[in-house]
Every structure is written in C-alpha cells, then in structure tokens.
C-alpha cells in the first residue's frame, strides 16, 4: 500500500512536469520517473524471486504510469490552450504517451525485479542500466528536441563541485563557506592560459590539469592559516577567502610589481639607482569585462577540420594541425556532456579510493575528534591540508570545464552565493555520501536551471492568455504580471528547500549511514543499555 | 624507560604541574594517585604531547618527547586510554579498533591482536558492528583500552579506567590491567580509586596540587598513614 502511495506521488510530480515542457517530454519524464520510482521502492522490498517482486510492484508502476499519461493528456488538450499554444500533433501525443507509460512501468518493474538477484549482481545490473540511460540521454534529448542536455551539463558541473566540497565538509568535517574561490581559481587559470587575454593558448587537455594543480596549491595555501581554527571560526575564515578571491579577480587589472630594494629602500637613503620594474600596469584578469572567448577542447577523432584553425588558436595549432579534427562547439552539447561525464567518473573513482584509504580514515577520525585522532598517531596538520588541497583539486577540474564550456568567465559568477549553492548540493544530497551528492547536485541544479525557467515561461504564457484578460483592474494586472516570475524567488526557494530538508530529513536525500543512525536513533531499536551488576550477573549465570 | 624531569606545565596562566619528576621502568605498573585537580591527567597529557611543558623534559628510551607533536609521540609507541574515553562515536567498534592500529607499519599480526583484545573484552566482540557512541559507559571504557592496545604500545597510559563504572566492572578492568602487565606491557595508571590502583601497582606516586609529595613502593604507600587518611579513607 505504501508503494502505491509512492507511485501516486511520482505520477503526480511527473505529470505536473509535463505541464511545463509538453510535447515529447512525457516520454523522457516517464522513463526517468520509472527509474526513480524503482530506486525508491526497492529499499522497502524483501528479496525474493525476481518475477514475484516485479509482479508485486506492477500495480504501483501501472498507477504511476496512468497518472502520468492522464496529466499529460490533460496538458495537451486543455493546458496547451490555456497557455496559448496549439496541441501537439497526434503522432507525438500518441507515441510520446505510449513510450512514457511503458518506460515508467518497464523501469519500475525492471529495477524491482533486479532486487530479486543477489546483492552484488543487483548492484552490477543496476549500474549497467544506469550507464545505458546516461549514455542514451543526450541522444534521446536531441531526438525529442527537448534541449535539456545543455542545462544538465551545468548540473553536472555542480556535481563535481559538490563531490570536491564533500571531501572537505563531509569527510574531514571542515566547514568551508568559500569553496567557490577554488572554482574561480580553476576557471581563471584556464581563462588566462587559454585565451586571447595574454595571447597564451594552451591546449584544454593540458590546461585542465594546470587548473586543477593551481586550485590544489591555493587550497593548500588557504588551508594553512585555518589549521588552528575549529568549527565556527574556521567557517568564518573560509567565508573571508571566498569573498577575497572574486574581488581580487575583479581588481587585478592594473598590476605593477617593482623590486622593493632599488625602488623604495635605496631612494630613501638618497642613493641614485635605476628602479627595476617587473610588471607595470598589467591587466591580468580583465576585471568586470571577464575573459572571453576561451579556448575549447578538441578531439582527434570527430568532426571536420575548421578552415580558420590557425587564426583562432594561434601558434599552438600550427605544429599540431593533424590533431585538429574536431573542436567542441557550444551548438553541440553532446560532446561536452560526455566530457563532463568522463570527468565525473574519474572523480568518483579517485574519491572512492581516497575515502577507503589510510588518508580517508584519518579524515574521518579528525572529523570525529581531533585530539583523539592525534593520539592515534594521525598528523592533524597534514590530514587537514590534504583535505583542503584535494577538495580544491576537483573544483579546479570543474572550473576549467566551466570556463571552456561557457567560453567566458566573469568575477560575479564566483561570489558567495555560488559557495552556498555548492554547500546546499552537499547538504541536500547527504553529507559524506558520494551518491547522495550526485543526486543532490542533479536535483538542485536541474530545478534551478531547467525547472524554474520552464516554470517562468509557463506562468508567463498562462498569465497572458488566460489569467490577465480576466483581471479588470490594471494595477492588479501589472502587479501579478511583474511578480509571477519564479526566477525572482530563486534564493527564497533555495532557502525554503534547506529549511524543509533540515526539518524533515536532515541527513539528506541519500544519507551517509553514519548520519542516519545518529539523527534517527530513536526510530531504530535503541542499543544503549544500562550496565548494572545485576544484568551482568544474570548474563554470567 | 620513561622519565619525567622537573616538568612544569601551564594552562594559560594556571601553573598545573609544578616540577614533576617520575620514572617508569620496563615491565612495571606505576600509579599516580591524588585528588581532583592534583594534575594527574595533566601529567599524562604532557607525556602524550597534548599539553607542552614550559620547562623540564620527558624522555622515552632516550628520545625527548617534549619536543615532538602528539602524533609523533603516538608513533613511538605511547598509547593512551584517555579520560572520558574519547572514542570515535560515529565509527563502529571495529573501526575504532582499526584506528588504534593506525600507527603500526607492520599489520601482519593484526588479526591475532584483534583476537587478543576480544579475549580480554568479549563484550566488544559482540558489539563489533555497533557505533562507538551507542555503547554503554563500561563498554566505551573497554573500547578505549582495546583501541590503545591495538597500537601495540611500549607504554600504556591509562587515565581513570574505573571512572563511573559499576564495582564489578571496575574489578574486571583492573584484572585486565594486571593481565596486560603480566604479558609484558609497561603501564602508567592514573587513578582516583587509590586502593584498587595500589593493590595492582608495583610503585606509586602521590600528587598534590601539581607536586609529587610522596613516592614509594605500592605496598609502603598503602601502609602510609597520610595516604591512608587522605586517599584510602581510613580513619
């Protein structure tokens, strides 16, 4: 019965989403909904024969699929009209809904059926299924003309950032409120070394490593002064760094470096020297204008040779012309999508190895109790610096990718709100849990990038076509029109999400088992027992 | 083996240890007794490097511990079962014990040592997958000792192992300390329960407001009139 309820919830949420996107979206939403529903309900199922489990969830799947299709049909016949669009063509409606329905039912039952397999096999098959979906997604997206991939890529950038921050906050327990600083350092390193700003054009495949190394070095340097600090004090200092870095990038537009000895100290004693100037009035970061365009990755195996290759990429292109077979273009998000998926896979692999290593254990010991950890022989200095540096490394990757993908960077992107959004990703997903952070990043950023703009368009057309004509008072009409823009309430919604999460599910969507045990101790059987001589005796006897 | 010479330790402006000198020889159980605030725990924290002495020296087998940070002292084979236990509350019992073995480079005998800890404290074996923070007080004490033992220490510092425990459990813990010593571990034991401590120790020191006022064999201390009056409750 509980499963049916999840089915109804999923059906309604999926159905409402079709309101925003319309057309083919029902097919994609149906399939994704099936996967989500399957993942959610298998946790509550017992392991038995795969066929039996699949059949037992079939009613749930059918209910979810039917609700979705009902909403979608309603959308097509009534809502489209209300927002001033014509209903989609019959064949899109027919096939879209059919695929959506079947996708929902198929994936729910498939995932449930897999639960009947032994745990390890189930895990493998689930990974295979997810991998297939991840690979198929951008192509389906292109076929159905939904144009979601470009926005999903933003979500994936924040997934990497979340994974990096998770090392610092989740594993080592160091609250970092200025993590976007490292994102900025990664992006600006890429921007400066791979653009016309200083006429340096280093290959993206190389510059991404330089950016990561740069972020790591700064992570190390910014970590060092915070070592004696704990808790709130540490958070405040990192907050300061987070503020300083974007301001620096904004203002490093007139850099002059003189040698102090010949320029200031000797003249003080009235000694005549020629002042040695290293750099004068040098525009390092181009300030508010930002750096643009930024070089893009290219791949030897795809695409056609651009005709203007030498002019775009300067000297680096000349010697390696044969490599110039395909450049990543903003019009084609698929290549970018697979690039960032590859970076995420690499990051997840490395972070998992780190977590299970000796270093990972010392992070967790430091998080639990720093003094006790020192007594165990753990060097708190090295351990914390490693957390800062490694955490920053991943934001270096994200920064390099971001700079190349947008092909332009501006200091305002990396301000405090970016740090907070990354922290929200980690908290929403589940502190200390890799899968949780991935889900958190996807949910939060797709909501921000995909859902809110779509909702804005939807509301705007709904207002102009249905609601506004029925309001007679022009003042009210204007007020409604101006305020019905959900993007205005972006941060309000972020805040609300956090408040609700903390109240309802403080351990995150997919919690780290340790946190769950702690926060829901009263729900599980209490294990603390009073030690009295009596019970002790009884046990002996 | 371990020698403290004229150690002065401060907490800010508070002069906690006013020139402590003591020695612990190989294979001994030495106990430090004294009332609240006498500086017993501070002495152990100073040995462990958690507090640095302002003057004086702490030497273990010729190595000057007072110049090293805490984690390097742990690496040299000094393990402590701290006051208030300081176990890792969100790690399982097993993970806590594994953390104890963090200092060891050679892990070939890890499983044997684990069995050894479990044979000393069978309760821990029943609770291996449980979180440290959910254990009862006595079990946490056992875990703290077990964790210290997993480091295979040259010298084991025990801070108030009997604190807050039921009488039967105190006996069990003291039996275990004796057993450990017979197996060859050198032990420095800090205790408020002076009677118990003196009954298993070889030698003892009496601490009062940061100074050692008496040192003798455990037997003699037990018979000392002042000790009897102040710490053993004999009228």
């Amino acid at each position: 019965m509980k499963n049916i309820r999840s089915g109804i919830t999923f059906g309604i949420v999926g159905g409402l989403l079709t309101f925003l996107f319309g057309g083919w979206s029902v097919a994609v939403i149906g399939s994704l909904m099936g996967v989500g529903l399957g993942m959610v309900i298998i946790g509550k199922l017992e392991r038995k024969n795969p066929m039996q489990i699949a059949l037992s969830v079939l009613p749930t799947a059918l209910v979810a699929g039917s609700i979705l299709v009902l909403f979608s049909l309603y959308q097509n016949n009534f809502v489209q009209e209300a927002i001033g669009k014509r209903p989609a063509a019959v064949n899109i409606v027919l096939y879209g809904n059919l695929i959506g329905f079947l996708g929902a039912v198929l994936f729910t039952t498939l995932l449930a059926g897999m639960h009947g397999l032994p745990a390890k096999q189930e895990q493998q098959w689930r990974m295979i299924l997810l991998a297939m979906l991840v690979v198929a997604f951008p192509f389906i997206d292109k076929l159905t003309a939904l144009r979601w991939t470009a926005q999903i890529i933003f979500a994936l950038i924040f997934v990497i950032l979340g994974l990096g921050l998770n090392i610092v906050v989740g594993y080592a327990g160091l609250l970092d409120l200025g993590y976007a600083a490292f994102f900025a350092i990664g992006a600006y390193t890429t921007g400066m070394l791979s653009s016309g700003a200083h006429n340096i054009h280093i290959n993206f495949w190389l510059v991404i490593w330089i950016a990561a190394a740069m972020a790591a070095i700064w992570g190390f340097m910014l970590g060092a002064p915070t070592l004696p600090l704990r808790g709130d004090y540490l958070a405040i200092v990192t907050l300061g760094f987070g503020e300083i870095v974007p301001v620096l990038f904004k203002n490093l537009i007139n850099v002059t470096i003189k040698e102090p000895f010949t320029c200031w100290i000797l003249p003080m004693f009235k000694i005549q020297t020629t002042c040695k100037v290293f750099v004068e009035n040098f525009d390092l970061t181009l300030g508010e204008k930002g750096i643009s365009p930024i070089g893009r990755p290219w791949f030897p195996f795809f695409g056609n040779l651009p005709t203007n290759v030498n002019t775009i990429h300067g000297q680096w292109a000349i010697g390696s012309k044969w490599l110039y077979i395909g450049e990543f273009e903003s019009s084609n998000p698929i290549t970018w999508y697979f690039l960032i998926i590859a970076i995420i896979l690499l990051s997840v692999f490395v972070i998992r190895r780190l977590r299970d290593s000796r270093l990972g254990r010392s992070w967790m010991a430091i998080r639990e109790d720093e003094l006790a950890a020192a007594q165990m022989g753990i060097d708190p200095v090295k351990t914390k610096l490693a957390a800062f540096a490694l955490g920053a490394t991943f934001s270096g990757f994200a920064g390099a990718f971001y700079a190349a993908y947008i092909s332009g960077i501006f200091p305002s992107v990396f301000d405090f709100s970016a740090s907070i959004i990354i922290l929200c990703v980690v908290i929403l997903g589940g502190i200390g849990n890799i899968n949780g952070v991935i889900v958190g990043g996807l949910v939060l950023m797709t909501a921000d990038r995909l859902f809110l703009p779509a909702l804005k368009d939807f509301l705007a057309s709904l207002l102009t076509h249905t609601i506004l004509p029925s309001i007679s008072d022009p003042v009210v009409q204007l007020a409604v029109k101006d305020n019905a823009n959900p993007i205005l309430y972006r941060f309000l919604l972020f805040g609300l999400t956090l408040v609700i999460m903390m109240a309802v599910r403080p351990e995150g969507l997919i919690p780290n088992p340790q946190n769950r045990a702690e926060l829901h101790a009263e729900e599980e059987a209490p294990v603390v027992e009073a030690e009295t001589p009596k019970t002790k005796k009884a046990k002996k006897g | 083996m371990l020698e403290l010479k004229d150690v002065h330790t401060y907490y800010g402006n508070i002069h906690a240890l006013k020139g402590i000198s003591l020695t612990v020889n190989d294979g001994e159980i030495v106990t430090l007794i004294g009332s609240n605030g006498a500086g017993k725990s501070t002495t152990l924290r100073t040995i462990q490097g958690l507090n640095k002495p302002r003057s004086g020296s702490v030497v273990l087998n010729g190595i000057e511990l007072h110049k090293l940070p805490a984690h390097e002292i742990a690496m040299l084979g000094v393990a402590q079962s701290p006051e208030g236990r300081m176990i890792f509350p969100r790690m399982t019992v097993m993970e806590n014990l594994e953390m104890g073995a963090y200092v060891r480079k050679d892990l070939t005998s890890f499983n044997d040592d684990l069995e050894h800890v479990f044979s000393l404290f069978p309760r821990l074996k029943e609770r291996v997958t449980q979180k440290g923070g959910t254990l009862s007080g006595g079990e946490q004490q056992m875990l703290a000792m077990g964790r210290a033992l997993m480091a295979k220490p040259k010298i084991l510092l025990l801070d108030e192992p009997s604190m807050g425990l039921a009488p039967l459990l105190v006996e069990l813990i003291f039996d275990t300390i004796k057993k450990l010593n017979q197996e060859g571990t050198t032990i420095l034991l800090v205790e408020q329960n002076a009677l118990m401590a003196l009954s298993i120790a070889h030698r003892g020191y009496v601490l009062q407001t940061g100074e050692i006022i008496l040192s003798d064999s455990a037997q003699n201390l037990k018979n000392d009139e002042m000790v009897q009056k102040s710490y053993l409750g004999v009228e």
Side-chain angles (χ1 to χ4, degrees):
Chain A
M1 234 33 298
K2 213 173 176 188
N3 288 345
I4 298 270
R5 222 162 51 200
S6 325
I8 294 172
T9 319
F10 267 81
I12 292 174
V13 172
L16 288 176
L17 283 178
T18 64
F19 278 23
L20 301 183
F21 300 104
W24 278 106
S25 68
V26 60
V28 177
I29 290 171
S31 309
L32 293 178
M33 198 181 88
V35 176
L37 184 58
M39 290 286 206
V40 167
I41 58 180
I42 50 174
K44 300 171 190 153
L45 296 173
E46 276 175 65
R47 273 182 208 285
K48 44 186 180 187
N49 184 342
M51 206 57 206
Q52 272 178 329
I53 298 192
L55 283 178
S56 74
V57 300
L58 194 60
T60 311
L62 288 175
V63 166
S66 312
I67 294 176
L68 172 77
V69 169
L70 279 178
F71 269 93
S72 154
L73 289 176
Y74 176 78
Q75 186 269 342
N76 198 49
N77 289 327
F78 299 99
V79 180
Q80 282 292 68
E81 204 175 315
I83 61 172
K85 286 181 187 160
R86 277 192 297 162
V90 178
N91 61 344
I92 293 183
V93 175
L94 188 65
Y95 289 117
N97 282 301
L98 197 62
I99 295 172
F101 181 75
L102 288 180
V105 175
L106 177 76
F107 285 115
T108 312
T109 48
L110 199 62
L111 276 161
M114 281 179 195
H115 196 59
L117 298 168
K120 204 167 174 192
Q121 274 186 36
E122 185 199 3
Q123 188 79 14
Q124 281 170 355
W125 280 105
R126 204 189 298 163
M127 284 328 278
I128 292 173
L129 181 71
L130 284 182
M132 274 162 45
L133 285 173
V134 166
V135 171
F137 174 78
F139 299 105
I140 293 172
D141 180 60
K142 197 168 183 185
L143 279 179
T144 53
L146 285 174
R147 297 172 198 282
W148 285 359
T149 312
Q151 306 306 326
I152 294 285
I153 289 170
F154 277 103
L156 294 174
I157 292 174
F158 275 82
V159 166
I160 299 184
L161 290 168
L163 287 171
L165 183 62
N166 185 42
I167 293 179
V168 186
V169 178
Y171 293 160
L174 306 162
L175 183 54
D176 187 345
L177 294 180
Y179 188 70
F182 305 120
F183 183 34
I185 288 166
Y188 265 91
T189 308
T190 310
M192 286 183 229
L193 295 181
S194 182
S195 73
H198 308 305
N199 230 359
I200 306 172
H201 297 274
I202 300 179
N203 182 341
F204 174 81
W205 306 115
L206 186 63
V207 95
I208 188 170
W209 296 103
I210 301 175
M214 209 56 191
I217 290 168
W218 281 98
F220 187 85
M221 302 225 287
L222 299 191
T226 67
L227 286 174
L229 305 172
R230 278 181 215 174
D232 312 352
Y233 304 102
L234 173 79
I236 291 164
V237 173
T238 55
L239 180 70
F241 285 138
E243 288 295 305
I244 290 169
V245 170
V247 172
L248 260 185
F249 283 132
K250 201 184 293 177
N251 290 312
L252 284 178
I253 48 174
N254 199 351
V255 185
T256 303
I257 303 173
K258 292 177 180 175
E259 195 202 359
F261 194 66
T262 51
C263 296
W264 292 304
I265 296 174
L266 290 183
M268 261 198 305
F269 300 105
K270 306 265 187 292
I271 300 168
Q272 289 292 315
T273 46
T274 45
C275 174
K276 197 167 172 352
V277 178
F278 295 111
V279 185
E280 195 156 30
N281 300 337
F282 178 61
D283 189 350
L284 186 66
T285 59
L286 276 64
E288 296 275 19
K289 288 196 303 265
I291 299 174
S292 156
I294 292 170
R296 302 205 138 153
W298 25 267
F299 213 59
F301 309 114
F302 296 111
N304 301 312
L305 185 77
T307 47
N308 54 349
V309 70
N310 290 336
T311 52
I312 300 177
H313 297 284
Q315 51 184 352
W316 283 84
I318 300 164
S320 48
K321 214 169 184 177
W322 61 275
L323 272 176
Y324 257 92
I325 300 177
E327 187 188 30
F328 286 31
E329 283 164 45
S330 40
S331 57
N332 181 13
I334 295 182
T335 47
W336 295 97
Y337 175 82
F338 284 108
L339 174 59
I340 192 140
I341 290 285
I343 298 175
I344 288 180
L345 286 179
L346 177 77
S347 309
V348 168
F349 174 76
V350 173
I351 291 172
R352 285 178 75 138
R353 295 300 297 265
L354 279 173
R355 181 193 64 191
D356 298 333
S357 70
R358 210 175 141 80
L359 184 60
R361 272 298 169 85
S362 27
W363 283 335
M364 280 160 222
I366 292 269
R367 178 187 70 194
E368 300 285 293
D369 190 330
E370 201 177 318
L371 271 187
Q375 284 187 342
M376 299 297 108
I378 293 165
D379 185 346
V381 173
K382 264 194 217 158
T383 312
K384 285 187 188 177
L385 283 180
F388 274 117
L390 286 166
T393 310
F394 293 98
S395 64
F397 286 132
F401 181 90
Y402 176 85
Y405 179 53
I406 305 290
S407 192
I409 41 175
F410 310 95
S412 58
V413 175
F414 308 101
D415 62 5
F416 180 57
S417 65
S419 295
I420 291 302
I421 291 171
I422 304 168
L423 195 63
C424 286
V425 164
V426 176
I427 292 172
L428 182 77
I431 292 180
N433 185 311
I434 294 177
N435 294 341
V437 172
I438 294 175
V439 172
L442 281 174
V443 169
L444 198 66
M445 292 316 291
T446 41
D448 184 34
R449 284 270 170 180
L450 208 57
F451 177 73
L452 281 185
L455 187 64
K456 179 197 151 213
D457 292 346
F458 176 79
L459 282 179
S461 8
L462 189 65
L463 283 175
T464 39
H465 290 94
T466 312
I467 298 178
L468 289 185
S470 66
I471 300 174
S472 49
D473 186 346
V475 179
V476 178
Q477 203 174 34
L478 198 68
V480 170
K481 194 177 175 215
D482 283 350
N483 289 303
N485 179 359
I487 292 181
L488 292 176
Y489 308 114
R490 192 166 157 247
F491 282 101
L492 178 74
L493 294 173
F494 269 133
L496 267 183
T497 316
L498 273 192
V499 170
I500 294 170
M501 278 301 286
M502 286 299 110
V504 179
R505 208 179 155 89
E507 70 276 30
L509 290 174
I510 303 183
N512 168 355
Q514 283 178 344
N515 291 341
R516 181 164 43 194
E518 195 163 274
L519 290 163
H520 291 277
E522 74 281 5
E523 286 163 25
E524 287 156 31
V527 273
V528 188
E529 60 171 278
E531 186 81 34
T532 62
K534 231 180 191 174
T535 56
K536 189 87 189 162
K537 249 181 206 164
K539 264 175 199 160
K540 268 185 187 164
Chain B
M1 179 180 203
L2 178 74
E3 192 176 11
L4 276 71
K5 258 192 203 154
D6 195 30
V7 169
H8 291 261
T9 305
Y10 291 74
Y11 289 105
N13 285 327
I14 300 161
H15 199 171
L17 298 186
K18 301 165 183 163
I20 299 276
S21 299
L22 61 84
T23 52
V24 183
N25 299 320
D26 232 334
E28 267 187 325
I29 302 183
V30 173
T31 183
L32 274 179
I33 56 178
S35 54
N36 285 333
K40 306 184 302 282
S41 298
T42 310
T43 311
L44 290 198
R45 289 173 66 92
T46 307
I47 297 171
Q48 259 265 311
L50 298 176
N51 289 98
K52 290 286 158 201
R54 211 171 274 183
S55 66
S57 68
V58 183
V59 179
L60 176 78
N61 295 334
I63 303 166
E64 294 184 305
L65 297 187
H66 58 275
K67 291 182 179 163
L68 299 175
H71 66 274
E72 282 179 35
I73 294 173
M75 290 283 182
L76 290 172
V78 180
Q80 183 173 181
S81 160
E83 187 187 15
R85 288 126 197 171
M86 278 164 83
I87 55 157
F88 298 111
R90 296 197 298 174
M91 292 190 182
T92 63
V93 169
M94 190 64 187
E95 285 167 338
N96 265 283
L97 292 173
E98 284 169 3
M99 283 316 304
Y102 187 89
V103 291
R104 287 165 55 181
K105 302 239 157 45
D106 168 34
L107 286 173
T108 45
S109 65
F110 179 83
N111 285 326
D112 295 343
D113 297 330
L114 200 61
E115 277 313 309
H116 181 226
V117 168
F118 287 151
S119 71
L120 289 172
F121 306 111
R123 286 298 285 275
L124 291 184
K125 194 169 185 176
E126 296 164 22
R127 305 245 184 271
V128 269
T129 55
Q130 208 170 303
K131 299 275 177 260
T134 66
L135 297 177
S136 73
E139 288 162 347
Q140 289 192 3
Q141 186 62 58
M142 294 178 198
L143 180 57
M145 275 179 76
R147 189 181 63 178
L149 287 177
M150 288 306 290
K152 274 200 154 177
K154 287 188 192 136
I155 179 162
L156 181 61
L157 312 176
L158 296 173
D159 198 352
E160 305 272 10
S162 75
M163 191 170 67
L165 297 188
L168 263 173
L169 219 57
V170 173
E171 246 168 68
L172 176 80
I173 294 268
F174 275 90
D175 283 347
T176 313
I177 296 171
K178 220 167 159 186
K179 213 159 145 192
L180 282 173
N181 180 248
Q182 280 158 5
E183 287 164 8
T185 315
T186 308
I187 291 168
L188 178 57
L189 171 67
V190 157
E191 242 328 319
Q192 277 203 40
N193 188 339
L195 186 63
M196 286 296 267
L198 288 174
S199 64
I200 62 163
H202 299 109
R203 292 188 301 116
Y205 292 87
V206 179
L207 227 66
Q208 202 173 50
T209 56
E211 281 168 302
I212 287 177
I213 53 164
L214 254 183
S215 78
D216 209 332
S217 74
Q219 198 55 44
N220 290 348
L221 283 179
K222 229 171 160 181
N223 297 329
D224 185 276
E225 202 178 313
M226 196 279 288
V227 173
Q228 283 195 343
K229 218 169 159 186
S230 313
Y231 304 106
L232 302 180
V234 178
E235 289 297 320

